[in-house]
Amino acid sequence: KIMHDAVGFKSSLTGKNYTMEWYELFQLGNCTFPHLRPGIDAPFWCNQGAACFYEGIDDAHWKENGTLDHVTTISGTMFNEMAKWVKYDNETGIYYETWTVQASPDKNATVWFDSYECSKFILRTYQKLADLGAVFEKIQTNYTSIILFSGEPVYLGNETSIFGPPGNKTLAAAIRDFYSPFKPHQTVRGFFVDLLKIIDHVILNHQFYLFYNLEYWFLPMKFPYLKIIYEEVPLPVRSKTSLDV
């Protein structure tokens, strides 16, 4: 029940279709949790994300599993300017981040960390097109957010300060112990044993270690701990800055 989002294009000159999407390069699990390697203290992260642009739209996939809607018509000039922006965006935001972290389920709750995944790329793309002059249809678009609920996060350090030679061995061991149950499982028994460890860490002891933008943070977890929400977001209009320009 987790949504994925993409933007499709159809050329009025050639009739060809194209898909553009931003996703984790090494699958969602590898982006969300690290690999622990024997004899090496620091967890190994495969959390890169990138935009991909390719010919064709899998109409059946989108129609069977979600929606495929026309949102706007743009000129070739707008498309070319958007393409330049996509290249810039792709080179400056390279890490996939699964979690949104906020203080409570309340609508105006403090957001400690925002996710950086496929839906955020789509929203940025729509806003860029709006700023370039695109006029969008009056429809809602839907996005998934996976939210952790936490008190104020505590900064712990980066890989070198925690796992390097002058690092904090106690903290390093605690982080490795936390991530250990999230490994891929070979047996049903192993899965349930590690699930109990996750419940013990997150729910009973209110602990979560977050790796965000190459740094580690401790999250003092709060009820309801985790929630998947489906947001309806209206399509954008031109920003005041672009109108002034």
Side-chain angles (χ1 to χ4, degrees):
K1 301 296 184 180
I2 296 177
M3 296 180 187
H4 177 64
D5 309 281
V7 182
F9 300 90
K10 181 177 181 178
S11 169
S12 62
L13 295 178
T14 66
K16 288 185 176 181
N17 293 331
Y18 302 89
T19 299
M20 183 172 73
E21 54 190 338
W22 197 94
Y23 53 84
E24 67 281 359
L25 295 181
F26 303 103
Q27 300 184 341
L28 182 60
N30 291 323
C31 280
T32 307
F33 301 106
H35 293 271
L36 301 180
R37 298 170 293 178
I40 301 177
D41 286 342
F44 181 70
W45 290 90
C46 301
N47 60 335
Q48 287 77 30
C52 291
F53 187 94
Y54 51 91
E55 187 173 342
I57 296 176
D58 187 352
D59 289 44
H61 169 79
W62 295 105
K63 290 177 180 178
E64 290 171 7
N65 297 285
T67 56
L68 181 63
D69 290 318
H70 177 266
V71 293
T72 189
T73 299
I74 62 174
S75 67
T77 299
M78 290 180 190
F79 181 89
N80 290 337
E81 289 301 312
M82 180 210 70
K84 295 176 185 177
W85 170 84
V86 169
K87 186 174 187 297
Y88 166 80
D89 186 80
N90 215 29
E91 292 172 347
T92 55
I94 65 173
Y95 295 111
Y96 189 98
E97 179 53 55
T98 304
W99 309 109
T100 295
V101 184
Q102 62 186 52
S104 75
D106 297 341
K107 187 174 182 180
N108 296 318
T110 299
V111 176
W112 305 117
F113 299 97
D114 205 355
S115 61
Y116 200 85
E117 25 73 1
C118 63
S119 68
K120 297 298 190 293
F121 173 75
I122 300 305
L123 291 170
R124 293 196 303 277
T125 301
Y126 284 162
Q127 187 59 61
K128 181 62 179 181
L129 288 173
D131 293 344
L132 291 170
V135 179
F136 285 90
E137 306 284 351
K138 302 296 183 181
I139 61 173
Q140 295 285 109
T141 52
N142 305 299
Y143 306 92
T144 302
S145 289
I146 306 177
I147 302 177
L148 299 175
F149 299 103
S150 164
E152 185 170 355
V154 178
Y155 175 70
L156 300 175
N158 58 29
E159 179 178 309
T160 301
S161 65
I162 297 173
F163 298 97
N168 185 327
K169 294 188 179 299
T170 301
L171 178 57
I175 292 174
R176 285 182 61 87
D177 182 60
F178 172 79
Y179 285 128
S180 177
F182 293 98
K183 62 183 179 293
H185 292 87
Q186 303 298 322
T187 67
V188 174
R189 182 180 181 278
F191 169 78
F192 282 106
V193 168
D194 282 341
L195 179 61
L196 291 175
K197 292 179 182 178
I198 293 169
I199 292 172
D200 180 66
H201 278 298
V202 177
I203 297 178
L204 300 181
N205 289 299
H206 310 284
Q207 298 173 341
F208 195 100
Y209 290 94
L210 178 72
F211 185 67
Y212 193 91
N213 201 22
L214 302 181
E215 296 177 320
Y216 287 91
W217 297 76
F218 175 77
L219 305 181
M221 297 295 287
K222 295 163 54 177
F223 182 84
Y225 308 107
L226 181 147
K227 188 176 182 181
I228 297 176
I229 67 168
Y230 300 96
E231 300 178 287
E232 290 189 352
V233 182
L235 290 164
V237 296
R238 297 182 73 179
S239 67
K240 290 182 179 180
T241 302
S242 65
L243 287 172
D244 291 343
V245 173

